[in-house]
Amino acid sequence: MTTCMVGWAHSKFGKLENHDVESLIVEVASEAIKDAGVAPEDIDAIYLGWYNGGFSRQDFGSSLVMNGIEGLRFKPSTRVENACATGSAAMHQAANYIESKQGRVVLVVGVEKMTATPGPEIGNILLQASYIKEDGDIEGGFAGVFGQIANGYFQKYGDQSDALARIAAKNHKNGCENPYAQMQKDLGYEFCRNISDKNPVVAGPLKRTDCSLVSDGAAAAVLTDVDMALSMPKAVAFRARAQVNDYLPMSKRDMTFLDGCAHAWEQAHERGRTSLDDLSFVETHDCFTIAELMQYEAMGLTEKGQGAKALEEGWTEKDGKLPVNPSGGLKAKGHPIGATGVSMHVLTAKQVRGEAGGIQVKDAKLGGIFNMGGAGVANYCSILEALR
């Protein structure tokens, strides 16, 4: 345990018409630095998680944070990208920097501005996170990719529409208590389960309520080594972290099981000397409800093909034996690509400190995070616990 989060900030997620990428970065970076009680001059390095991919014409962004925080000038700053796991990639790179003793204080910012881009173009940009040689012509963009995955899972294990609707309803209910969430509305199981004008089929068996939201937003964190963290007002430590990458082509994998997710969890538990039973809750990557369902199986909550059991028995509810996505997840909170992983870490840090407000899980001690880039390609796990 040599890296800790000692300050953080989180913007509202949603359609933020009065913000561009630069203003989002500067806002959360300023708030996180203030929250940590350090000066900009104390920062040794900066990591920016930003996917972009065409959402913004401004593509070179590692120094944007300096435009509003003069004390960061001349600090090393690096942009990190790993598809939808971009935010966690930035967090892990910051931890690597600290643990290699290159510096003691690192600022991480995750950001995305998506809503100013026309809908069809958004689909094309997100599809770049697939293997274009094989998947570039899939209809429906990335929803089409996960529609295919859902079809394959349904063919192997039977119709899982009930389970997907339960995931969507659970996460939207949880999101009602999250002030940062883009959608704070309890849609209910029946609405999520049935096809309607307001909930049409999007791709394969996936309906609109099975798909995460197009969002703008940002989150930031200040990380230090454990010795410095213990002298600060709050400290949330990485008990463990792991990154696993899998093949990019889906044709090279069995897409009814997320092997990379399973390996990432296995490594994180081994390094943290933990098991799934030790976790108080999990924030996981529900870019589509089928992804959350399959992640239950990959993390070992159920056997293969039995993820629905966790929902039927209420295990993943906020008061269940392993609450999953008490924040509302990507489904309700929103999914600004580069900000998502940093958001997961910030909200998990608040949970283990008992400061999560309406989304607080009772007696939360250890929080698990799983952030996924692409269709199970870039897989990041973190396990956080409060030191003070």
Side-chain angles (χ1 to χ4, degrees), residues 7 19 37 68 81 141 204 266 281 371 382:
H19 278 287
E81 182 274 318
E266 181 181 353
F281 67 95
N371 188 196
S382 298

Side-chain angles (χ1 to χ4, degrees), residues 6 61 68 78 101 105 116 170 183 186 194 290 297 306 329 343 347 375:
V6 295
T78 305
K101 301 188 183 303
V105 186
K170 167 182 69 71
M183 184 179 288
D186 186 351
N194 296 310
I290 184 64
E297 299 166 18
Q306 297 180 24
S343 166
L347 296 184

Side-chain angles (χ1 to χ4, degrees), residues 318-367:
K318 188 178 169 185
D319 59 354
K321 74 173 188 178
L322 184 67
V324 175
N325 286 331
S327 70
L330 285 58
K331 265 307 289 115
K333 184 178 62 176
H335 185 24
I337 307 299
T340 288
V342 182
S343 166
M344 287 174 151
H345 284 79
V346 167
L347 296 184
T348 298
K350 290 168 74 72
Q351 285 275 8
V352 296
R353 278 182 51 83
E355 298 174 347
I359 65 172
Q360 182 68 51
V361 172
K362 185 179 179 181
D363 298 327
K365 303 299 182 187
L366 278 180

Side-chain angles (χ1 to χ4, degrees), residues 161 274 287 377:
S161 297
T274 57
C287 50
V377 178

Side-chain angles (χ1 to χ4, degrees), residues 79-136:
R79 175 179 162 193
V80 178
E81 182 274 318
N82 217 351
C84 297
T86 287
S88 288
M91 292 291 290
H92 283 220
Q93 286 301 309
N96 289 340
Y97 183 92
I98 290 168
E99 291 172 18
S100 64
K101 301 188 183 303
Q102 297 180 70
R104 301 190 72 185
V105 186
V106 181
L107 171 66
V108 178
V109 181
V111 69
E112 212 68 59
K113 174 74 177 180
M114 302 172 69
T115 67
T117 304
E121 193 174 338
I122 291 172
N124 290 333
I125 290 171
L126 295 179
L127 194 59
Q128 294 177 79
S130 66
Y131 188 53
I132 295 298
K133 286 183 179 180
E134 294 182 359
D135 306 327

Side-chain angles (χ1 to χ4, degrees), residues 144 146-157 203-206 256 290:
F146 274 86
Q148 285 194 2
I149 292 170
N151 276 330
Y153 187 94
F154 281 29
Q155 288 169 12
K156 187 170 184 177
Y157 297 117
L206 303 180
T256 63
I290 184 64

Side-chain angles (χ1 to χ4, degrees), residues 33-194:
I33 291 169
K34 181 179 179 181
D35 188 55
V38 299
E41 290 79 8
D42 297 327
I43 304 294
D44 294 314
I46 304 158
Y47 286 91
L48 172 67
W50 183 27
Y51 176 73
N52 195 22
F55 288 121
S56 170
R57 186 182 176 196
Q58 175 67 58
D59 193 51
F60 177 37
S62 57
S63 286
L64 286 176
V65 67
M66 300 176 192
N67 289 1
I69 309 172
E70 187 175 345
L72 295 179
R73 190 182 183 194
F74 303 125
K75 306 292 185 180
S77 185
T78 305
R79 175 179 162 193
V80 178
E81 182 274 318
N82 217 351
C84 297
T86 287
S88 288
M91 292 291 290
H92 283 220
Q93 286 301 309
N96 289 340
Y97 183 92
I98 290 168
E99 291 172 18
S100 64
K101 301 188 183 303
Q102 297 180 70
R104 301 190 72 185
V105 186
V106 181
L107 171 66
V108 178
V109 181
V111 69
E112 212 68 59
K113 174 74 177 180
M114 302 172 69
T115 67
T117 304
E121 193 174 338
I122 291 172
N124 290 333
I125 290 171
L126 295 179
L127 194 59
Q128 294 177 79
S130 66
Y131 188 53
I132 295 298
K133 286 183 179 180
E134 294 182 359
D135 306 327
D137 295 326
I138 290 179
E139 292 186 12
F142 221 66
V145 171
F146 274 86
Q148 285 194 2
I149 292 170
N151 276 330
Y153 187 94
F154 281 29
Q155 288 169 12
K156 187 170 184 177
Y157 297 117
D159 191 322
Q160 303 293 316
S161 297
D162 290 350
L164 301 191
R166 286 191 175 102
I167 289 171
K170 167 182 69 71
N171 291 350
H172 280 294
K173 181 180 179 181
N174 289 347
C176 291
E177 301 297 327
N178 184 351
Y180 304 118
Q182 180 171 352
M183 184 179 288
Q184 298 172 31
K185 184 176 181 181
D186 186 351
L187 298 179
Y189 170 79
E190 291 299 328
F191 179 83
C192 296
R193 178 63 180 86
N194 296 310

